[in-house]
């Protein structure tokens, strides 16, 4: 085997739209999910799947679901459904990537306390019909064990992040059957109660 064979330049790497290294295209703008965007603009949009942490700080190189790599220079956090726009007016849509989550069943002693701690620690929490899901971390696992909560580990997308605000007896989006406190001072419905009337 000759020396020039180890460095074969018959097919030099071409920088172009399909090489995955096109530095002329940089995704540097975010259009929030609630902004209407004409479907014609999104016809050729790529999809990028990001974990919760990646949505807080979008990596420089992001793999799209079609296998291509997008160069991103973004200073903002992004959410599921946000659209990224490049300097050449190409579009990419943010989706949630599957990641390791802890699922905690409601009704366990310590559930409310854990929710309180998660809110204080700004851990990404998603309330579900059966309890909550939280992005897995060692710190979080130790806290679950501290409260002696049973939990399952699963791989799923963390969609809607609803970090519960730490308040007293505000409206919450789950049933009140498991609360330890009494409801002698019942909740009065008004414009600020948080329920959709």
């Amino acid at each position: 085997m000759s020396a020039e064979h180890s460095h074969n330049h018959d097919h030099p790497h071409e920088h172009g739209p399909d090489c995955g290294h096109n530095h002329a295209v940089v995704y540097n703008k975010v259009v929030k999910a609630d902004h209407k965007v004409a479907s014609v603009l999104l016809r050729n949009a790529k999809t990028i799947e990001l974990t919760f942490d990646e949505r807080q700080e979008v990596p420089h190189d992001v793999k799209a679901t079609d296998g291509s790599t997008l160069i991103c220079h973004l200073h903002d956090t992004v959410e599921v459904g946000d659209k990224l726009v490049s300097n050449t007016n190409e579009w990419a849509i943010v989706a949630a990537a599957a990641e390791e989550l802890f699922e905690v069943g409601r009704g366990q002693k310590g559930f409310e306390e854990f929710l309180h701690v998660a809110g204080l620690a700004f851990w990404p929490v998603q309330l579900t019909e059966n309890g909550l899901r939280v992005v897995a971390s060692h710190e979080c696992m130790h806290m679950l064990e501290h409260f002696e909560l049973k939990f399952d580990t699963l791989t799923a997308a963390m969609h809607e992040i609803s970090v519960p605000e730490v308040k007293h007896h505000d409206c919450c989006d789950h049933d009140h059957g498991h609360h330890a406190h009494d409801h002698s001072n019942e909740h009065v419905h008004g414009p600020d109660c948080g329920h959709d009337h």
Side-chain angles (χ1 to χ4, degrees):
M1 196 158 133
S2 60
E4 69 267 13
H5 239 73
S6 62
H7 251 320
N8 186 341
H9 285 280
D10 292 344
H11 305 285
H13 179 73
E14 293 291 326
H15 277 270
D18 301 320
C19 81
H21 284 175
N22 184 0
H23 289 266
V25 180
V26 176
Y27 288 79
N28 54 6
K29 288 194 293 257
V30 178
V31 176
K32 290 315 230 175
D34 54 5
H35 284 19
K36 271 280 185 230
V37 176
S39 55
V40 64
L41 290 172
L42 299 175
R43 195 173 47 210
N44 298 317
K46 294 179 183 287
T47 300
I48 57 172
E49 293 180 343
L50 301 174
T51 65
F52 177 81
D53 282 346
E54 289 170 336
R55 296 197 297 270
Q56 307 320 295
E57 194 172 332
V58 179
H60 177 266
D61 295 312
V62 177
K63 275 259 186 275
T65 52
D66 67 0
S68 62
T69 300
L70 311 186
I71 308 300
C72 295
H73 287 289
L74 295 170
H75 304 294
D76 304 326
T77 62
V78 296
E79 294 169 16
V80 174
D82 285 355
K83 289 130 197 107
L84 309 185
V85 191
S86 76
N87 56 344
T88 56
N89 210 28
E90 292 174 54
W91 292 71
I93 300 169
V94 176
E99 57 186 308
E100 193 176 344
L101 306 176
F102 296 144
E103 191 164 50
V104 186
R106 182 176 285 140
Q108 301 183 65
K109 185 177 172 302
F111 183 88
E112 293 292 319
E113 289 85 349
F114 174 77
L115 205 52
H116 182 82
V117 169
L120 289 173
F122 295 105
W123 290 336
V125 170
Q126 180 181 4
L127 295 171
T128 65
E129 288 171 27
N130 306 320
L132 65 83
R133 288 179 175 182
V134 58
V135 171
S137 69
H138 284 295
E139 194 184 4
C140 179
M141 183 164 65
H142 291 310
M143 196 51 69
L144 287 164
E145 288 167 350
H146 170 77
F147 286 118
E148 297 179 2
L149 287 163
K150 291 187 179 69
F151 62 94
D152 293 314
T153 304
L154 71 155
T155 302
M158 179 59 107
H159 285 286
E160 213 179 295
I161 303 301
S162 50
V163 175
E165 286 188 40
V166 182
K167 290 185 186 165
H168 307 303
H169 302 273
D170 272 28
C171 279
C172 41
D173 64 354
H174 52 269
D175 79 90
H176 290 254
H178 60 280
H179 280 274
H181 55 257
D182 79 26
H183 281 271
S184 48
N185 53 355
E186 267 312 324
H187 176 75
V188 179
H189 280 269
D192 301 317
C193 82
H195 278 136
D196 184 14
H197 294 287

